[in-house]
Amino acid sequence: MTDLLRKSDRFGHRYDGRYHGQYASSIKKYTSAAKRPLNRAEQSQLIPQLQNFTASRGWNWRSLTTTFHSLTSAGVFVTHKPMDQSVKLTQATLLSTLFDAIIFQCNQKPQARDIDAQGVSNLFWAMAKLVDNGQEQTPEFNEVLAALLPHVNAQKDQFILQNIVNLLWAMTKLMINGSEQTPEFNDSVAELLPCVSAQKDQFIPQHISNLLWAMAKLSDKGQRQTPGLNAAVVMLLPHVKAQKDQFTAQGIANLLWAMAKLVDNGQEQTSSLKEAVTALLPHVIVQKANFTPQEIVSLLWAMAKLVNNGHEQTRELKKAIAALLSCVKAQKDHFKPHEIANLLWALAKLVDNMQERAPGLKEAVALLLPHVVLQQANFKPQGIANLLWAMAKLVDNGHAQTRELKEAIAVLLPHANVKEDQFIPQHIANMLWSMAKLVDNGEWTPEIQEAVAALLPQVNAQKASFKPQEIANLLWALAKLVDNGQEQVKGLIEAMAALLPHANVKEDQFIPQGLANLLLAMAKLVDNGQEHTPGLKETVTVLLTHVTAQKDQFNAHGIANLLWALAKLVDNGQERTPELNEAVVALLSHVNAQKTHLNLQEIASLLWAMAKLGEFVDLDMAISTFESLVHQISYHHQFSHHVILMSLWGVMVCCARLSLDSNTNRNHLLEKHMDDLFTRLKNTSPVNADDQSILAMAACWLGKPCPVLPHYQTTTSKYQTILRHQLQSHIPSLKIAEEKSLHSLPPVDLLLPDHNIIIEIQGPSHYVSGDFKTRNGSTLLKIALLRKSGFEVIEIPVNKFWNKGLINRCIDQIKTRVDTPAQGHGTLSFNIGWTEEANVTANKEDGNAQVTLT
């Protein structure tokens, strides 16, 4: 060092820095021979010697680039913890003088500088390495980058392939670590990509893996539309397949991670991409002993993402996953906190998407859970969010709620409370989704309640920053929490109200799954008494247009959820708009095509939804869909009690519609299925009043003994009282019974026992959207059952009571009907309607009473 300073002093302002460059190179040679950067002890010995090692503006370009690249590569600027303050000061001073000299050189006139392509590439690599090692991106650091960027474009024709690879790697690293994506930065990336294709014949395996890694990261940072990126990816893929035997373990891990990330960011799964993945999978097995913990995590993450995006679950893929799971077991003690979080996330995704569980998957989860507890204090907010999501997903897919799993959840939740202000929107959405899933699977604890309460203010605070998918997941989660009785958690309703306007603003950005989740959430909210949440009905109307537009893209699960949601919304007063009509028709038209993909719960939900919508659904469409779905039920034998009851009620409503339509005679098949469902339930003793009613109605329809004695609550409406009093005043001798339960059926409003006539006063709840025109399923079933039991039924919409003249005419018509004795035993059902000239006549025809209204 003394000799170096002496030479520098001797040359004075004419000194070009060459000896400093040689000195820096000697340090790099030492670390290259050791195959590692300087350790902390070596760095502590060296740094004091560098106090006077300062660069000047007189140094030439080569000396500057050699010195900066060599010292960075050797690890001179690495920040160890703890670090002596004088060491940090020396590092900062040396960096500052190097930065100043580089900026000065870059800003010189062309004839006064000797900037070359190799130097530009080395400097970018060194800058990226600095930030990757924790260097802060100071204003001076950013100034160096801004000064260097124009030289990427100027030198692009001089870059050899190694320079291009290093530059793209470096720019990607800088972007990952927060460098601003200025137009100049993006332009430089765009200029480099065609150079990749131009030198395609010179690729070695390391180039291929580094380039695809960089392109995947660029696509992840919003550079998917960068000109040339897709072309470069397409050009590289055949080289993966051609050189498959030459990749190191690290190269294989980087490649599979990169391809999975590209696919996840919208890259088309072309035959070249699938072939490249397939070519690498056997080498995962061959190289499994050489993978580091980080590479094992990257590979399992990649497999999970590929499967999640529809990659075929081949035998080779399953073998590769099994091989990696054995590596998890072997290296379980070496995973860092963020790797544990990513591993459990990947395993949960595999469980969620794999047709059959890979050998060792369950064991790998069990091995990792104790490490979650041990390292609980070291997880970052993203790790906490990923871990809770993974555990909730595992529970949702049937993973046993072991003591270890419960303990891992319990130790993470308090950290969620402490770090709640550090969660980004994605974390908040994932956390609340996880807690909603855990609650839905019976894991409601005070710790979860506290974590939910802590996160809800963050929903309001960050409401404008949530992406469409996050809004959908959040609203679904909040609805689930309400559905499980947690609407009293402070801030829950306010959080929902805060999100709804943003669902409107981003309406055209929701994918099919997001639309289904959103409407399902809103249906859950109104079903739990939140129909007055500001903006809810308007948001539903806005989203329905997009449901119709994306009708071909919904899977079976989405269609079932959507129709259930729409039926619930209608049942709770959602206005019957053209958008609603179109959405229902559009979804129903796709049910038959997706029927083989429906599970039992989804079939039951669809039967319930169509039944609930009643006359809203075209009769022919309803019957064909019912027959198709009921046929699917016959293939299944394991029904839950809830599924049987939903299906039974739906089938009964369909039979009711058929029986009320004089032009159809197709009940035989449906009644056979009704009988089968009833048989499965007849030995049960439901305590729920609604369930008891369904059983009683089914027994009545089938003419079988009722297995339960349902308990009905009776309420007398004011209109019911008005009509009774007026009928009694007009016909004093008329016998009238109120709220009478006949044949264990729900109570009727008014019964005229001497005439076998029932009068039902139908309020808005008896009609779809309360329109007083379209009867819902419950109303149709009750009317059909009463008719089947031998009663004549008169239905009077309650809106007729709002006009005194109309109700008087109604009384007159009923009086005429009572005064006209029926001959023979017949059944009758009609809606009272009025015109200026209304009359009732009764005629005997073939032993049946026929009443004509004009």
Side-chain angles (χ1 to χ4, degrees):
M1 180 58 69
T2 302
D3 183 55
L4 184 66
L5 294 175
R6 182 177 56 78
K7 288 178 181 176
S8 174
D9 289 340
R10 180 157 58 89
F11 286 103
H13 68 277
R14 293 178 293 109
Y15 179 59
D16 61 7
R18 73 178 64 182
Y19 299 115
H20 281 71
Q22 290 168 4
Y23 181 83
S25 293
S26 70
I27 300 170
K28 182 186 172 185
K29 285 177 184 177
Y30 170 77
T31 57
S32 296
K35 296 182 179 179
R36 58 165 178 79
L38 297 172
N39 60 36
R40 185 179 170 190
E42 291 166 338
Q43 189 193 59
S44 297
Q45 291 174 5
L46 175 67
I47 291 290
Q49 307 297 321
L50 300 180
Q51 286 181 349
N52 296 316
F53 189 100
T54 53
S56 74
R57 292 182 171 184
W59 285 19
N60 63 30
W61 177 255
R62 183 172 182 180
S63 297
L64 275 173
T65 57
T66 300
T67 300
F68 189 25
H69 181 269
S70 296
L71 294 180
T72 304
S73 178
V76 171
F77 298 117
V78 171
T79 305
H80 293 288
K81 293 181 181 180
M83 177 174 274
D84 186 85
Q85 197 61 33
S86 64
V87 172
K88 290 175 72 173
L89 183 61
T90 301
Q91 284 179 329
T93 302
L94 178 52
L95 265 179
S96 182
T97 61
L98 285 166
F99 283 165
D100 179 71
I102 291 167
I103 293 167
F104 179 79
Q105 284 282 359
C106 287
N107 292 332
Q108 292 297 294
K109 292 180 180 179
Q111 60 270 28
R113 64 193 182 199
D114 53 358
I115 294 172
D116 69 328
Q118 180 72 44
V120 172
S121 171
N122 284 351
L123 284 177
F124 264 101
W125 183 93
M127 301 285 280
K129 201 68 176 170
L130 279 177
V131 295
D132 205 38
N133 286 325
Q135 175 67 37
E136 184 185 354
Q137 295 193 43
T138 61
E140 193 176 18
F141 182 98
N142 292 331
E143 192 178 349
V144 174
L145 281 182
L148 280 170
L149 282 171
H151 298 287
V152 174
N153 293 352
Q155 298 281 344
K156 66 180 180 181
D157 295 332
Q158 309 303 318
F159 291 124
I160 61 173
L161 185 58
Q162 182 68 55
N163 300 151
I164 296 166
V165 174
N166 285 352
L167 274 167
L168 281 169
W169 180 92
M171 290 181 169
T172 304
K173 274 288 182 186
L174 289 165
M175 196 181 293
I176 293 168
N177 286 290
S179 286
E180 186 183 357
Q181 295 181 51
T182 60
E184 293 78 10
F185 191 101
N186 292 337
D187 288 346
S188 294
V189 171
E191 290 288 341
L192 285 171
L193 288 169
C195 301
V196 174
S197 299
Q199 303 197 40
K200 62 184 178 183
D201 297 330
Q202 302 173 42
F203 291 130
I204 61 174
Q206 185 180 357
H207 293 161
I208 297 167
S209 59
N210 284 358
L211 279 169
L212 274 171
W213 179 90
M215 289 174 197
K217 280 289 185 183
L218 288 170
S219 76
D220 204 35
K221 288 291 180 179
Q223 300 290 318
R224 286 192 295 277
Q225 304 307 318
T226 300
L229 192 144
N230 285 342
V233 169
V234 170
M235 181 276 302
L236 282 166
L237 290 172
H239 292 274
V240 174
K241 185 180 177 182
Q243 301 192 41
K244 62 188 178 189
D245 301 327
Q246 301 172 48
F247 291 109
T248 62
Q250 182 183 5
I252 292 168
N254 283 351
L255 279 168
L256 281 166
W257 180 92
M259 288 188 274
K261 179 59 79 172
L262 287 164
V263 167
D264 201 44
N265 285 314
Q267 182 79 26
E268 185 185 355
Q269 293 201 51
T270 59
S271 56
S272 295
L273 190 143
K274 290 177 182 177
E275 287 170 8
V277 170
T278 302
L280 288 174
L281 289 174
H283 298 280
V284 171
I285 301 167
V286 171
Q287 296 265 18
K288 68 177 183 179
N290 301 321
F291 291 122
T292 65
Q294 182 181 350
E295 289 159 2
I296 294 166
V297 175
S298 293
L299 281 164
L300 278 168
W301 183 94
M303 308 282 182
K305 274 292 179 186
L306 287 167
V307 170
N308 192 54
N309 284 294
H311 194 280
E312 187 181 355
Q313 297 178 33
T314 59
R315 183 175 60 179
E316 291 78 12
L317 182 85
K318 291 174 182 176
K319 283 184 177 179
I321 291 170
L324 290 168
L325 290 172
S326 67
C327 297
V328 172
K329 182 179 179 181
Q331 302 207 40
K332 64 180 188 294
D333 297 325
H334 304 297
F335 293 110
K336 296 174 184 175
H338 76 275
E339 293 167 349
I340 293 170
N342 288 349
L343 259 178
L344 278 166
W345 182 94
L347 298 181
K349 265 290 178 191
L350 288 169
V351 168
D352 199 37
N353 286 300
M354 290 290 281
Q355 295 162 358
E356 56 186 74
R357 294 199 179 180
L361 199 150
K362 187 176 179 180
E363 185 182 2
V365 170
L367 288 169
L368 289 169
L369 289 173
H371 293 277
V372 173
V373 177
L374 287 172
Q375 304 215 39
Q376 57 180 286
N378 301 321
F379 289 110
K380 295 179 180 177
Q382 183 179 355
I384 293 169
N386 283 355
L387 280 168
L388 283 168
W389 182 94
M391 292 182 212
K393 184 56 84 171
L394 287 166
V395 168
D396 198 44
N397 281 295
H399 193 281
Q401 297 188 43
T402 59
R403 178 177 56 81
E404 290 80 6
L405 189 137
K406 290 183 178 182
E407 189 179 353
I409 293 169
V411 300
L412 286 173
L413 287 170
H415 296 285
N417 293 356
V418 172
K419 299 175 180 178
E420 81 269 2
D421 60 339
Q422 301 174 39
F423 291 115
I424 62 173
Q426 183 185 1
H427 300 158
I428 295 167
N430 284 352
M431 292 273 287
L432 281 166
W433 183 93
S434 304
M435 292 176 200
K437 272 290 179 189
L438 289 169
V439 169
D440 202 40
N441 283 287
E443 274 297 298
W444 185 253
T445 62
E447 291 82 6
I448 290 180
Q449 188 168 0
E450 288 172 16
V452 169
L455 285 168
L456 287 173
Q458 296 298 316
V459 174
N460 210 343
Q462 302 199 44
K463 60 190 176 187
S465 304
F466 289 109
K467 296 175 184 176
Q469 184 181 352
E470 292 160 358
I471 292 171
N473 287 351
L474 270 172
L475 279 166
W476 181 92
L478 299 179
K480 265 292 175 190
L481 289 168
V482 170
D483 199 38
N484 282 287
Q486 304 307 315
E487 66 274 8
Q488 300 307 318
V489 175
K490 186 180 177 182
L492 197 150
I493 304 303
E494 292 82 352
M496 289 187 291
L499 284 170
L500 284 173
H502 296 281
N504 281 355
V505 171
K506 298 175 180 178
E507 50 164 306
D508 57 343
Q509 300 174 45
F510 291 106
I511 60 173
Q513 184 184 352
L515 286 172
N517 282 354
L518 269 175
L519 284 163
L520 183 69
M522 293 178 198
K524 285 280 184 189
L525 292 174
V526 298
D527 199 41
N528 285 284
Q530 303 300 323
E531 66 269 21
H532 299 302
T533 300
L536 193 145
K537 288 188 178 181
E538 294 79 358
T539 303
V540 170
T541 301
V542 166
L543 293 174
L544 286 173
T545 306
H546 298 286
V547 170
T548 304
Q550 299 189 43
K551 62 187 177 186
D552 299 329
Q553 300 173 47
F554 292 106
N555 59 21
H557 181 67
I559 291 170
N561 281 352
L562 276 168
L563 281 167
W564 181 92
L566 296 183
K568 270 290 177 189
L569 288 164
V570 165
D571 197 39
N572 284 285
Q574 182 72 29
E575 185 183 354
R576 182 177 178 178
T577 60
E579 293 85 356
L580 181 65
N581 292 346
E582 290 170 9
V584 170
V585 172
L587 290 168
L588 282 173
S589 64
H590 286 80
V591 170
N592 285 347
Q594 295 274 6
K595 64 184 179 183
T596 56
H597 304 295
L598 294 164
N599 61 35
L600 286 174
Q601 178 62 57
E602 289 160 356
I603 292 172
S605 292
L606 280 169
L607 293 174
W608 179 92
M610 286 190 293
K612 180 56 75 173
L613 289 169
E615 292 174 328
F616 187 100
V617 180
D618 175 76
L619 181 60
D620 287 336
M621 176 176 277
I623 301 308
S624 65
T625 308
F626 260 95
E627 289 176 344
S628 174
L629 291 177
V630 169
H631 186 64
Q632 285 295 109
I633 290 177
S634 64
Y635 289 108
H636 298 281
H637 302 287
Q638 299 299 320
F639 289 87
S640 72
H641 187 76
H642 178 64
V643 164
I644 298 173
L645 282 164
M646 284 181 75
S647 303
L648 178 58
W649 185 82
V651 171
M652 278 197 292
V653 171
C654 189
C655 288
R657 287 199 69 182
L658 283 167
S659 73
L660 293 173
D661 188 282
S662 59
N663 296 317
T664 61
N665 185 25
R666 298 163 61 186
N667 260 349
H668 178 69
L669 175 64
L670 291 172
E671 285 186 349
K672 181 177 178 297
H673 286 290
M674 188 197 304
D675 189 31
D676 177 58
L677 292 166
F678 176 76
T679 302
R680 298 182 191 218
L681 285 171
K682 68 180 182 181
N683 293 323
T684 62
S685 300
V687 293
N688 181 288
D690 289 338
D691 295 352
Q692 289 177 350
S693 177
I694 292 171
L695 267 178
M697 288 189 288
C700 179
W701 190 286
L702 295 166
K704 294 188 174 184
C706 184
V708 294
L709 186 63
H711 174 70
Y712 296 109
Q713 288 196 348
T714 59
T715 54
T716 304
S717 71
K718 68 175 183 177
Y719 297 112
Q720 189 175 327
T721 303
I722 289 169
L723 185 63
R724 175 176 181 166
H725 287 164
Q726 293 201 22
L727 280 172
Q728 207 76 73
S729 66
H730 282 77
I731 318 170
S733 62
L734 186 65
K735 290 183 181 179
I736 305 174
E738 286 187 272
E739 295 300 317
K740 185 81 172 173
S741 179
L742 306 165
H743 306 300
S744 297
L745 297 177
V748 299
D749 292 339
L750 299 176
L751 169 66
L752 310 183
D754 291 344
H755 302 274
N756 223 31
I757 292 175
I758 289 168
I759 301 171
E760 285 287 285
I761 299 162
Q762 311 291 43
S765 63
H766 291 269
Y767 300 91
V768 174
S769 300
D771 66 0
F772 292 109
K773 296 176 182 176
T774 313
R775 291 176 292 181
N776 62 29
S778 301
T779 303
L780 292 169
L781 179 55
K782 184 177 181 182
I783 300 303
L785 280 165
L786 290 170
R787 281 191 58 182
K788 196 173 180 66
S789 299
F791 295 97
E792 299 174 6
V793 183
I794 297 173
E795 297 176 69
I796 304 177
V798 76
N799 64 338
K800 302 304 180 185
F801 285 80
W802 304 341
N803 184 303
K804 189 174 181 181
L806 293 179
I807 196 60
N808 285 338
R809 289 174 186 168
C810 173
I811 299 295
D812 291 340
Q813 291 180 15
I814 294 173
K815 185 175 182 296
T816 302
R817 175 70 194 94
V818 169
D819 289 342
T820 305
Q823 299 184 34
H825 183 77
T827 62
L828 173 70
S829 176
F830 58 87
N831 266 301
I832 291 291
W834 292 266
T835 62
E836 287 302 313
E837 297 295 332
N839 62 77
V840 178
T841 60
N843 303 299
K844 178 181 178 183
E845 183 177 319
D846 298 328
N848 292 315
Q850 179 178 341
V851 173
T852 305
L853 290 175
T854 59

